[in-house]
């Protein structure tokens, strides 16, 4: 341990307490990172608006179930940060761990200096160091923050830990027709590596696959297996939680008959796709990834890829004691659920599976609507090299795996132009693709045209295609990657640069 730094920090901390924090902020804000203040907003002196401290702490997932993991402020999920759209915030981020950290402001239009991705040039928060950032939160809606380091084979790192927390940016006006809001973060703990095959998930609609993608993907996989290679590593989990509590291990959600509850649901998983249903109730989706959809749509349940958010209103009109939980029985029985209880109702919480339904993003958009013609189309083909990276699958975009030697920007943007990404998935896995610092519009889902759904993560089905458009309106290096931690860590990333 670097004792000189340790003692200097202690000294500074005690001075900061005595002198009202002004000296502390000057010291910790710039010195340790060697970086100037954020270009978009001057870093203010004095106490920060928020402090987030990254440290390993015990987390109680349920009765007699305490684990140790890295957290924000000693809790899981990290504290709900409620910002006001357009009103600058100053945040101190302290890293009390032995490894460098990155804190990513997922879904916000911020500068590369604060976005929280080393690939874009955001400075690391040094081990036992801190960093002060100031930025203007935008756009309004449901966002989140999470660690953005590559974990690779270390399942005590990256988003396998508890480093996930919700953000809500209050719009300037809020016409919400609901009685109360409840934030739910879905997250697994106690990860382990396995050689198991992929989970068979066929919930996406349209289901049509593309012949040449399937031939390419299956050809590559069969060739690898024929050479005697096992399947690449996957990650499984021992415990499943909603807001850090396994089913039955936390307080039930108490609701009143007739109440309209707006649920803000985040899939905070490192690797898994989640689903959610509440027996006898429907979800009226009003926003996806925090962005209002063209019109509310009622569905029997929800599906969320890693990092996706859904905001949905549930009208409480079916009294009882219910389990709101994942439709996967095994995951729900290992904790992925929360009890919803009406007043005066007794008995064991009940689960009833909803009728089978599929998840079609186009259902939430405008059908038959035309979108603006893009200035340029980028073709992207995603492929898997089975078990090619020390037993892990290696992932490529247009035959290039992103790593320390291949960080060169793959795509060039001109400010103000509209671009289309034509994403083609030559693997059988579903990939939740994420674009940093911008949002995009879904324009074609597995061949079906749509418009009006603005997102920052979208699932692309196995051997399927998806088209998304975005406007290059936030200059600076921009990271694009699969949000599945195992995929992003082993090559599934690319950079856009503004030229
Ligand atoms: Cu992926």
């Amino acid at each position: 341990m670097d004792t000189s730094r340790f003692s200097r920090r202690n000294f500074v901390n005690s001075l900061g307490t005595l002198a009202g924090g002004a000296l502390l902020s000057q010291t910790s804000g710039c010195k340790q990172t060697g970086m100037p203040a954020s270009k978009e907003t001057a870093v203010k002196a004095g106490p920060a608006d928020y402090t987030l401290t990254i440290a390993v702490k015990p987390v109680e997932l349920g009765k007699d179930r305490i684990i140790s993991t890295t957290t924000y402020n000693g809790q899981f999920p990290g504290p709900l940060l409620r910002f006001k759209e357009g009103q600058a915030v100053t945040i101190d981020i302290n890293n009390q761990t032995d490894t460098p950290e990155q804190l990513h402001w997922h879904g916000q239009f911020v500068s590369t200096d604060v976005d929280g991705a080393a690939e874009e040039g955001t400075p690391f928060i040094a081990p036992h160091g801190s960093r002060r950032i100031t930025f203007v939160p935008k756009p309004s809606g449901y966002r989140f923050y999470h660690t953005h380091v590559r974990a690779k084979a270390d399942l005590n790192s990256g988003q396998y830990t508890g480093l996930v927390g919700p953000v809500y940016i209050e719009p300037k006006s809020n016409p919400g027709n609901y009685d109360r809001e409840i934030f739910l973060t879905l997250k697994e703990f106690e990860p382990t590596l396995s050689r198991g095959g992929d989970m068979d998930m066929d919930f996406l609609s349209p289901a049509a696959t593309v012949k040449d993608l399937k031939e390419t993907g299956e050809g590559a996989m069969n060739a690898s297996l024929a050479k005697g290679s096992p399947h690449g590593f996957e990650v499984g989990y021992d415990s499943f939680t909603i807001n850090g509590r396994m089913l039955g291990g936390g307080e039930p959600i108490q609701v009143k008959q007739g109440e309209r509850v707006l649920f803000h649901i985040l899939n905070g998983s490192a690797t898994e796709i989640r689903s959610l249903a509440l027996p006898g109730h429907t979800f009226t989706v009003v926003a996806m990834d925090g962005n209002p959809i063209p019109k509310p749509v009622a569905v029997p349940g929800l599906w969320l890829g890693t990092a996706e958010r859904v905001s949905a209103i549930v009208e409480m009109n079916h009294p009882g004691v219910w389990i709101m939980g994942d439709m996967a029985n095994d995951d729900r029985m290992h904790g992925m659920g929360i009890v919803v209880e009406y007043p005066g109702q007794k008995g064991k919480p009940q689960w009833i599976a909803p009728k089978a339904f599929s998840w079609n993003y186009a259902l939430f958009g405008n059908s038959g609507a035309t979108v603006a013609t893009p200035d340029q189309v980028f073709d992207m083909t995603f492929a898997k090299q089975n078990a090619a990276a020390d037993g892990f699958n290696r992932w490529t975009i247009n035959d290039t795996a992103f790593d320390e030697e291949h960080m060169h920007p793959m795509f060039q943007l001109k400010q103000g132009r509209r671009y289309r990404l034509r994403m083609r998935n030559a693997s059988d896995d579903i990939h939740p693709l994420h674009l940093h610092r911008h949002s995009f519009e879904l324009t074609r889902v597995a061949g079906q045209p749509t418009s009006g759904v603005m997102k920052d993560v979208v699932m692309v089905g196995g051997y399927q295609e998806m088209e998304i458009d975005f406007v290059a309106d936030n200059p600076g290096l921009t990271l694009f990657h699969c949000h599945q931690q195992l995929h992003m860590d082993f090559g599934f990333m690319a950079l856009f640069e503004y030229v």
Side-chain angles (χ1 to χ4, degrees), residues 382-444:
F382 310 140
K384 169 162 68 178
Q385 296 172 358
N386 181 56
D390 297 325
F392 289 88
N393 299 323
R394 184 186 291 127
W395 293 91
T396 61
I397 299 175
N398 295 350
D399 298 321
T400 304
F402 190 95
D403 60 29
E404 284 70 14
E405 280 102 58
H406 298 91
M407 299 227 318
H408 201 72
M410 189 179 274
F411 303 101
Q412 283 71 42
L413 305 173
K414 286 204 161 59
Q415 188 167 1
R417 293 207 180 160
R418 182 181 176 97
Y419 293 91
R420 178 162 299 163
L421 305 185
R422 190 186 291 142
M423 304 187 284
R424 310 186 75 234
N425 180 6
S427 76
D428 57 350
D429 306 64
I430 297 170
H431 299 291
L433 270 306
H434 172 45
L435 182 67
H436 279 231
R437 308 194 311 108
H438 298 73
S439 53
F440 50 75
E441 180 175 10
L442 307 188
T443 51
R444 196 175 281 269

Side-chain angles (χ1 to χ4, degrees), residues 395 429-433 482-484 487-488 492:
W395 293 91
D429 306 64
I430 297 170
H431 299 291
L433 270 306
C482 178
H483 218 284
Q484 215 277 21
H487 302 181
M488 67 180 270
F492 206 148

Side-chain angles (χ1 to χ4, degrees), residues 287-340:
M288 301 185 96
D289 295 350
N291 307 314
I293 57 174
K295 56 177 191 314
V297 177
V299 287
L302 308 173
W303 288 93
L304 300 98
T306 299
E308 284 191 296
R309 289 90 69 209
V310 171
S311 300
I313 293 174
V314 178
E315 191 178 327
M316 296 299 170
N317 53 12
H318 194 60
V321 182
W322 305 109
I323 293 171
M324 178 158 63
D326 201 294
M327 290 181 263
N329 291 335
D330 202 46
D331 296 357
R332 191 180 62 257
M333 287 185 281
H334 283 88
M336 191 54 79
I338 189 167
V339 176
V340 172

